[in-house]
Amino acid sequence: MTAYDDLMAFSHDTQALSQVAGRLGWDQETIMPRGAAPQRAEEMAAMEGVLQARRTDPRVGEWLAAIDVSALDPVGAANVREIKRSFERAMKVPADLAATLARVTSTAQGKWAEARAADDVAAFLPVLAEVVDLKRQEGSALAAGGDIYDAMLADYEPGTTAADLDAMFGALRPALTALRAAILDQPAPQTVSGTFDEAAQLKLSALLAQTFGYDTHHGRIDKAVHPFSSGSGLDVRITTRTNPTDPFNCFYSTIHEVGHACYEQNIDAAYLLTPLGAGVSMGVHESQSRIYENQIGRSRAFTGWLYGQMRDAFGDFGIDGEDAFYATVNRVSDGYIRTEADEVQYNLHVLLRFDLERALMTGDLQVGDLEAAWNDRFKADFGYAVDKPSNGVLQDVHWSVGLFGYFPTYSLGNVYAGCLNEAMRAALPNLDAQLGQGNTSAATGWLRDSLQTHGGLYAPREVIERASGMAPGPAPLLAYLEAKFGDIYGL
């Protein structure tokens, strides 16, 4: 066997163990008994110790040094690129720090859920302070004298820096703020009325998942407090949630997570349990969930089909006609929750978190001052005060599990989705006729062939440029939002 063969055999087992670790996290969020949390923390720490030992195994460095990358095909070269990046990162993080982070974040996740349910910030802040301290240590080790936050971003969006995001978000913020103000000066569309049976919501949610191409033979749908997608290859699971008075929460959470899941399910099968067998970055991943949810799922054509499905499932729910339903689905209104925010305001929620978490990592903001900083920034951006912690600083799970550098990829994903949507619409001029029949196959097929099948073969920006034919930038997203909401609100 060659050094490359040895390296890939070793990587195969590491990837398999990583999937097992991910399944532990899925179980913790869905069906694990609450009393198991302390033991699960130890299990996850032990698993992380095993994975860290494999990531830093000296043989990996020896195999990498022995490989002539110029002699490899593009797939082999990409595998080596990704393994080398992971190896170099892992070598910078002490094994005891990696294991401690796994243990503390597992515990913190449970404490966050309890604090959120009780609206008790004080119960969560001590363990969050531990997480922040550990993440600063990790960031310092990774940065090796450079920018700590840039080092964290590299875990989720390789090749992107905070300076890049500042420039992009700097263009988004004023345009979104102006559009939001113009919309909120207009009469608001209707809202749905009545209550919506949970079983009926979940049944229609399952139909939507199938409509968007989710393969339940290799996946499943469960409920969770915070919807998410987990896994890759032949086992890709999603979760959703229900609200008795807001069925869109369930339906669009499902479509969003199906976007993530279909990306993983549609990766070339030859990449299974290799470094290329998962989405290349969180920004690219988010581009898939957002384009499924918004540009396809909230389009005028598709909502016309969904209106009929909802009438069949629930009868009269207070909305008369497809045009009124389209406006309702895309209604812009005040709200606290990022995951429930409309397309116009969603990125403003993300930019708030991006700025706060950068300040936490640099030490410009202390954990004890986080709630006040959040509330002040929210009031400045949205014009009204946070009413309770579960609608404010406690609403997201991300910081409890140490995902610093993750939030900005949500807005980056929206920017990518804007570019992809423009290209997809140009390639599929008759798309709306199909969406109006509840047929998403042309859109999802274009995304599969143009982007999803490649997995981690190309770098994030490269895969977006290849699919869309343009360098990523905010202009297509802003043009789409201004046209869509200008039409709905008569601007």
Side-chain angles (χ1 to χ4, degrees), residues 2-4 6-7 10 57-67:
T2 67
Y4 178 78
D6 289 336
L7 178 65
F10 187 84
D57 191 304
R59 290 175 296 173
V60 174
E62 293 168 4
W63 289 322
L64 287 169
I67 294 171

Side-chain angles (χ1 to χ4, degrees), residues 206-428:
L207 173 62
L208 286 167
Q210 179 183 1
T211 298
F212 277 84
Y214 181 53
D215 179 3
T216 53
H217 183 64
H218 295 107
R220 53 181 292 136
I221 306 174
D222 293 274
K223 287 180 60 181
V225 172
H226 190 110
F228 67 96
S229 175
S230 174
S232 65
L234 303 180
D235 189 345
V236 185
R237 309 180 186 193
I238 67 169
T239 64
T240 191
R241 61 184 172 197
T242 60
N243 182 319
T245 60
D246 179 13
F248 300 134
N249 195 314
C250 176
F251 301 151
Y252 284 99
S253 290
T254 299
I255 295 171
H256 180 99
E257 300 307 334
V258 163
H260 284 302
C262 285
Y263 184 7
E264 294 291 340
Q265 290 185 332
N266 288 333
I267 293 171
D268 191 325
Y271 302 161
L272 182 67
L273 295 179
T274 76
L276 308 188
V280 68
S281 75
M282 292 315 305
V284 177
H285 237 300
E286 195 66 12
S287 76
Q288 301 309 283
S289 61
R290 295 297 281 181
I291 199 170
Y292 274 51
E293 175 189 357
N294 293 324
Q295 282 94 338
I296 302 172
R298 296 184 195 270
S299 66
R300 183 184 292 275
F302 187 79
T303 57
W305 175 82
L306 180 58
Y307 177 69
Q309 299 298 312
M310 284 191 63
R311 294 279 295 197
D312 290 345
F314 303 109
D316 181 12
F317 50 88
I319 307 298
D320 186 17
E322 293 179 5
D323 287 344
F325 182 75
Y326 171 60
T328 296
V329 168
N330 290 286
R331 189 174 189 267
V332 176
S333 60
D334 291 343
Y336 301 103
I337 305 299
R338 173 186 60 84
T339 56
E340 299 171 8
D342 54 78
E343 288 182 83
V344 174
Q345 299 184 91
Y346 180 89
N347 291 300
L348 296 175
H349 287 271
V350 174
L351 303 191
L352 177 155
R353 290 155 173 78
F354 169 59
D355 289 340
L356 291 181
E357 71 174 21
R358 282 180 73 193
L360 282 172
M361 287 300 106
T362 61
D364 293 336
L365 175 64
Q366 300 305 310
V367 170
D369 300 321
L370 177 60
E371 182 182 20
W374 178 294
N375 292 346
D376 289 346
R377 171 65 180 270
F378 188 90
K379 180 71 179 293
D381 282 0
F382 293 92
Y384 49 96
V386 173
D387 61 344
K388 57 184 179 180
S390 57
N391 281 337
V393 72
L394 290 180
Q395 69 177 268
D396 293 301
V397 68
H398 301 61
W399 290 338
S400 72
V401 293
L403 298 180
F404 290 88
Y406 192 119
F407 273 124
T409 66
Y410 287 128
S411 284
L412 191 57
N414 280 324
V415 168
Y416 290 164
C419 299
L420 293 169
N421 181 60
E422 188 173 288
M424 180 180 69
R425 288 282 176 174
L428 305 172

Side-chain angles (χ1 to χ4, degrees), residues 13-35:
D13 290 349
T14 304
Q15 295 289 334
L17 288 168
S18 181
Q19 290 296 312
V20 173
R23 202 99 357 95
L24 287 174
W26 169 86
D27 177 75
Q28 180 171 328
E29 283 290 287
T30 53
I31 60 175
M32 184 190 82
R34 292 301 96 187

Side-chain angles (χ1 to χ4, degrees), residues 410-462:
Y410 287 128
S411 284
L412 191 57
N414 280 324
V415 168
Y416 290 164
C419 299
L420 293 169
N421 181 60
E422 188 173 288
M424 180 180 69
R425 288 282 176 174
L428 305 172
N430 298 317
L431 178 58
D432 281 339
Q434 298 175 51
L435 294 179
Q437 300 299 314
N439 180 0
T440 71
S441 60
T444 56
W446 185 88
L447 290 165
R448 179 194 64 229
D449 296 341
S450 300
L451 186 147
Q452 294 170 359
T453 187
H454 301 305
L457 181 61
Y458 304 114
R461 286 181 63 90
E462 183 181 2

